[in-house]
């Protein structure tokens, strides 16, 4: 399970970084989203992986670490808000600059 | 009342922001008045807080009355109270300037402004690493709104870069917090400090990685080399009042660095001790000449100020890595550089408004009306920003140099601090002579005289002279201020005090435990 999760996080991060470096606001937003998914999974794993245990201390002595779950929940909410904001900003940038390049370059300039 | 003192600076702007949101369709005068009133109240609260902690007490506020490390705490020590007071004083004059008309150019300016103060106060007062992240997000989200306030293609472009970089920074912050939690098993900063001394050998690598990642995130916020490239465009394109408020934003990064440098990775952190030091000094030193060269190369006053902000950040972080005397010098230099940068940003806009053809670009333009006033103010601001005597910046830099004497890298520190200061003076002198001496045709004077708003407005003068007054006050009260920063540095270098106040509270300092 550890290897699978590590592979997922690594793959998500790699794809996210690649997309974020593309220089177009659409792929940039997708890349940032993938990176934030990777970070959330990573945070989740930081409480050590446990199977089939409740994240609540119920006296039986067996429980998953509840703190990372609370952290992930907060991080997801904040991540949603930030993604929504950056999408709106990307739309505004497209309207103001006339294209979706992050530096406001047209296709011709970008290829020069 | 004193029990609830540490949470007041967080609650006042939050409630004021909510109230302003509810009153968003009421007359502007009412909203401006409310914003200012909240800020005055806030300054009062931070003065009382400063008074309460000046004797060396560390006030701990347990939210929901859960004991640390399980519950979340707010902690007010000397450093936090000092930062909150500086923020609010700066915000007062930024708000006065914004009330001259910036708040008309978009919606919800006053709400965002209060939310920015909410995030800033929270970031300074929180005693929990994850809550530091949450307050960072709050202040960043408000800063995105403020930066983009008023719109315009250039501003949107600079804003997009700023937002994306900070989103990546937030992801790295979460990674760093996760690594520290995985290796040390806590997120409460006092608890982390306690556990870092006895980190298990197999977790040492993780903890070091987490700590250094944390330094990277804070360095991004503080615009430390090589993570400074976002700053000039973002600050130069922000509205002046917002750029003035942003002068404190980079200091949040500096605050977080000095807090974690002394508390989490201080001298008694065992194998993690002095984790930041090998990185901090070279990076801060390298950022000095590069920022100075940037200041020499720019073509507008806004960008010049932005590079000088990076330069003063380099000085500040250098001071913070030089031990107790250095931290004391840095904490005295911090309000000076904040107020000085804000003064120059506001003055830049005042000058730009009076030049019909090139605004704040350093090009030939018509004579400004009221030239002696603006020229004189620019001269004063330049002297202050460059850290020349007789103002507080000179004293701050002098103390920095004295703290560096005897250090291994003393030659480098002295040489780079002094040379970069000289280059900054040259850059400012060049900008001043371009702006005020190289004026063209006399008919320009007539044209400039007809510009709307060319007479000095009350808001502008209050904001400019207010900031100047704060710097003068810091200079005149250098004795008590330095005593305070020295006591602060002493307190910072004894992290056991901080830990004990939170984890093993004496009954006197535990608000709310009595039935």
């Amino acid at each position: 399970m550890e290897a699978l999760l590590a592979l997922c996080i690594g793959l998500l991060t790699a794809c996210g970084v690649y997309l974020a470096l593309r220089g177009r606001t659409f792929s940039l937003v997708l890349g940032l989203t993938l990176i934030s998914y990777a970070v959330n999974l990573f945070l989740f794993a930081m409480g050590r992986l446990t199977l089939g245990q409740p994240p609540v201390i119920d006296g039986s002595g067996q429980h998953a670490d509840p703190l990372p779950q609370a952290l992930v929940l907060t991080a997801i909410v904040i991540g949603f808000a930030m993604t929504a904001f950056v999408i709106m900003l990307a739309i505004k940038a497209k309207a103001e600059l006339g294209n979706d390049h992050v530096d406001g370059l047209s296709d011709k300039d970008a290829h020069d | 009342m004193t029990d609830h003192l540490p949470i007041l600076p967080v609650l006042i702007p939050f409630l004021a922001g909510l109230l302003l949101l509810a009153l968003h369709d009421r007359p502007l005068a009412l909203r401006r008045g409310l914003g200012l009133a909240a800020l005055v109240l806030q300054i009062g609260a931070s003065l009382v807080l400063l008074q309460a902690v000046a004797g060396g007490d560390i006030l701990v506020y347990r939210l929901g009355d859960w004991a640390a490390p399980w519950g979340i705490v707010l902690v007010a020590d000397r450093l936090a109270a000092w930062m909150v007071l500086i923020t609010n004083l700066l915000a007062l004059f930024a708000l006065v300037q914004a009330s001259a008309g910036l708040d008309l150019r978009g919606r919800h300016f006053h709400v965002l402004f209060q939310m920015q103060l909410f995030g800033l106060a929270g970031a300074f007062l929180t005693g929990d690493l994850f809550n530091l992240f949450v307050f960072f997000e709050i202040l960043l989200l408000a800063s995105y709104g403020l930066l983009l306030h008023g719109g315009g293609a250039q501003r949107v472009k600079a804003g997009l870069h700023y937002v994306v970089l900070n989103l990546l920074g937030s992801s790295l912050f979460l990674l760093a917090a996760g690594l520290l939690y995985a290796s040390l098993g806590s997120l409460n900063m006092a608890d982390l400090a306690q556990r870092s001394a006895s980190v298990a050998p197999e977790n040492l690598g993780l903890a070091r990685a987490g700590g250094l990642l944390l330094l990277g995130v804070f360095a991004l916020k503080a615009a430390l080399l090589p993570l400074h490239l976002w700053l000039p465009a973002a600050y130069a394109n922000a509205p002046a009042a917002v750029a003035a408020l942003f002068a404190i934003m980079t200091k949040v990064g500096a605050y977080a660095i000095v807090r974690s440098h002394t508390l989490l990775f201080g001298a008694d952190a065992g194998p993690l001790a002095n984790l930041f030091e090998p990185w901090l000094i070279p990076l801060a030193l390298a950022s000095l000449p590069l920022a100075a060269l940037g200041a020499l190369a720019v073509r507008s006053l806004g960008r010049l100020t932005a590079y000088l902000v990076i330069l003063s950040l380099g000085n500040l972080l250098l001071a913070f890595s030089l031990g107790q005397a250095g931290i004391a010098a840095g904490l005295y230099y911090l309000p000076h550089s904040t107020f000085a940068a804000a003064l120059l940003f506001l003055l830049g806009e005042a000058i730009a408004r009076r030049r019909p053809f090139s605004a704040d670009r350093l090009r030939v333009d018509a004579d400004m009306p009221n030239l002696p006033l603006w020229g004189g103010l620019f001269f004063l601001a330049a002297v202050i920003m460059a850290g020349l005597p007789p103002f507080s910046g000179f004293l701050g830099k002098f103390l920095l140099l004295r703290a560096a004497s005897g250090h291994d890298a003393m030659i480098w520190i002295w040489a780079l601090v002094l040379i970069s200061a000289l280059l900054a003076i040259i850059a400012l002198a060049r900008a001043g002579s371009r702006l005020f001496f190289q004026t063209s045709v006399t008919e320009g004077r007539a044209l400039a005289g007809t510009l709307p708003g060319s007479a000095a407005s009350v808001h502008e003068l209050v904001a400019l002279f207010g900031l100047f007054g704060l710097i003068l006050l810091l200079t005149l009260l250098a004795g008590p201020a330095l005593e305070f920063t020295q006591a602060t540095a002493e307190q910072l270098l004894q992290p056991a005090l901080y830990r004990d106040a939170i984890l093993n509270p004496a009954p006197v300092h535990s608000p709310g435990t009595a039935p």
Side-chain angles (χ1 to χ4, degrees):
Chain A
M1 189 163 66
E2 283 86 353
L4 186 64
L5 190 68
L7 199 68
C8 282
I9 295 173
L11 201 64
L12 275 174
T13 312
C15 295
V17 169
Y18 173 76
L19 282 172
L21 290 174
R22 294 262 297 164
R24 299 276 160 189
T25 49
F26 180 67
S27 39
L28 183 65
V29 172
L30 276 185
L32 287 175
T33 314
L34 289 187
I35 291 176
S36 78
Y37 288 163
V39 169
N40 288 340
L41 280 177
F42 177 83
L43 266 186
F44 201 63
M46 283 303 102
R48 305 295 186 267
L49 298 174
T50 39
L51 275 181
Q53 298 295 340
V56 184
I57 302 170
D58 58 355
S60 67
Q62 294 289 316
H63 64 92
D65 191 345
L67 193 74
Q69 313 204 0
L71 299 188
V72 169
L73 199 59
T74 316
I76 289 174
V77 173
I78 292 178
F80 270 142
M82 291 298 174
T83 309
F85 184 85
V86 83
I87 288 175
M88 287 315 293
L89 185 59
I91 293 172
K92 189 170 166 59
K94 173 94 165 58
E96 295 261 1
L97 304 169
N99 62 73
D100 72 339
H101 193 274
V102 285
D103 279 332
L105 302 171
S106 64
D107 280 333
K108 192 178 144 295
D109 295 334
H111 289 142
D112 280 346
Chain B
M1 192 61 199
T2 47
D3 283 355
H4 297 284
L5 202 51
I7 203 171
L8 279 186
V10 185
L11 269 190
I12 294 172
F14 179 61
L15 295 178
L18 289 185
L19 189 62
L20 282 164
L21 189 62
L23 298 177
H24 72 99
D25 50 356
R26 295 304 160 95
L28 192 60
L30 176 71
R31 281 180 282 148
R32 281 177 182 166
L34 259 178
L36 272 180
L39 203 43
V40 170
L41 196 65
Q42 168 87 327
I43 290 176
S46 34
L47 278 173
V48 177
L49 184 65
L50 191 73
Q51 181 95 50
V53 299
D57 284 346
I58 296 178
L59 302 180
V60 181
Y61 190 84
R62 290 179 196 78
L63 292 141
D65 210 10
W66 288 81
W70 293 282
I72 291 166
V73 286
L74 294 180
V75 187
D77 62 350
R78 289 193 182 114
L79 176 64
W82 181 241
M83 298 301 296
V84 170
L85 181 66
I86 294 167
T87 309
N88 292 325
L89 288 175
L90 176 74
L92 178 66
F93 295 109
L95 190 60
V96 167
Q97 166 85 6
S99 297
L102 175 69
D103 54 356
L104 282 171
R105 268 187 266 154
R107 300 175 66 196
H108 299 313
F109 179 86
H110 290 282
V111 180
L112 289 170
F113 197 90
Q114 296 294 333
M115 286 300 162
Q116 172 91 75
L117 295 180
F118 167 53
L120 283 166
F124 293 137
L125 286 169
T126 184
D128 183 280
L129 202 58
F130 192 75
N131 267 43
L132 185 64
F133 164 77
V134 173
F135 279 116
F136 264 34
E137 292 304 300
I138 292 170
L139 73 90
L140 285 173
L141 200 47
S143 82
Y144 303 154
L146 287 175
L147 177 67
L148 293 163
H149 193 80
Q154 280 306 311
R155 200 168 280 169
V156 168
K157 198 175 101 178
L160 187 66
H161 293 184
Y162 175 76
V163 171
V164 168
L165 271 175
N166 277 307
L167 284 181
L168 284 172
S170 304
S171 293
L172 288 181
F173 198 159
L174 280 177
L175 286 178
L179 281 171
L180 284 177
Y181 181 73
S183 54
L184 298 173
S186 182
L187 283 169
N188 181 293
M189 297 207 288
D191 201 22
L192 276 176
Q194 198 163 38
R195 288 166 186 239
S196 63
S198 54
V199 53
E202 70 267 22
N203 286 336
L204 185 61
L206 276 185
R208 292 179 68 92
L212 287 176
L213 211 49
L214 210 54
L215 175 66
V217 177
F218 296 153
L220 176 70
K221 311 285 177 204
L224 178 68
L225 190 89
L227 300 168
H228 66 289
L229 293 166
W230 57 272
L231 189 139
Y235 279 37
N237 285 306
V242 174
L245 181 65
F246 279 12
I248 195 74
M249 295 268 288
T250 45
K251 271 68 176 186
V252 180
Y255 160 83
I257 286 177
V258 72
R259 174 70 86 197
S260 39
H261 179 52
T262 54
L263 182 63
L264 304 184
F265 310 111
D268 48 358
L272 291 172
N274 295 327
L275 186 64
F276 287 180
E277 209 166 292
W279 295 93
L280 217 43
I281 293 183
L283 289 180
L285 272 181
S287 72
L288 294 177
L290 273 169
L293 288 177
L296 279 176
V298 293
R299 279 185 245 161
S300 77
L301 193 52
R303 277 184 181 258
L304 174 63
T305 316
Y307 273 104
L308 293 177
V309 168
I310 300 176
L311 181 62
S312 62
L313 241 306
N315 280 325
L316 194 59
L317 291 176
L318 189 58
F320 283 162
S321 47
L322 290 176
Q324 187 175 338
I327 293 176
L331 289 177
Y332 179 74
Y333 183 69
L334 190 147
H336 167 86
S337 68
T338 310
F339 297 147
L343 181 63
L344 210 52
F345 274 124
L346 293 186
L347 190 61
E349 196 199 50
I351 289 172
R353 199 180 299 162
R354 287 165 181 81
R355 302 176 85 228
F357 303 117
S358 26
D360 78 335
R361 270 164 293 164
L362 302 175
R363 282 201 318 221
V364 178
D365 204 330
D367 262 353
M368 261 178 268
N370 237 338
L371 196 61
L373 171 69
W374 299 114
L377 273 173
F378 181 81
F379 178 72
L380 260 181
V383 166
I384 289 169
M385 190 76 213
L388 291 176
F391 295 104
S392 39
F394 172 71
L395 195 57
K397 277 194 191 171
F398 174 76
L399 290 170
L400 190 170
L401 291 179
R402 204 174 63 174
S405 67
H407 192 274
D408 293 340
M410 174 183 161
I411 307 280
W412 284 101
I413 294 173
W414 279 52
L416 287 173
V417 168
L418 292 173
I419 291 173
S420 65
L422 177 67
L423 293 179
I425 295 168
I426 294 173
L428 282 162
R430 168 176 159 271
S433 61
R434 282 278 169 85
L435 288 171
F436 296 103
F437 295 158
Q438 295 186 355
T439 47
S440 70
V441 286
T442 39
E443 73 223 67
R445 182 186 291 271
L447 198 154
T450 61
L451 277 180
S454 64
S457 80
V458 183
H459 288 104
E460 270 174 355
L461 291 182
V462 167
L464 287 172
F465 281 100
L467 283 169
F468 180 62
L470 285 178
I471 290 165
L472 210 56
L473 206 62
L474 191 63
T475 315
L476 293 176
L477 296 180
L482 273 170
E483 262 171 39
F484 180 81
T485 60
Q486 267 151 10
T488 310
E490 213 172 288
Q491 193 180 39
L492 278 177
L493 291 179
Q494 287 172 292
L497 292 176
Y498 189 95
R499 291 199 308 252
D500 287 343
I502 294 168
L503 300 175
N504 316 312
V508 188
H509 297 307
S510 54
T513 46

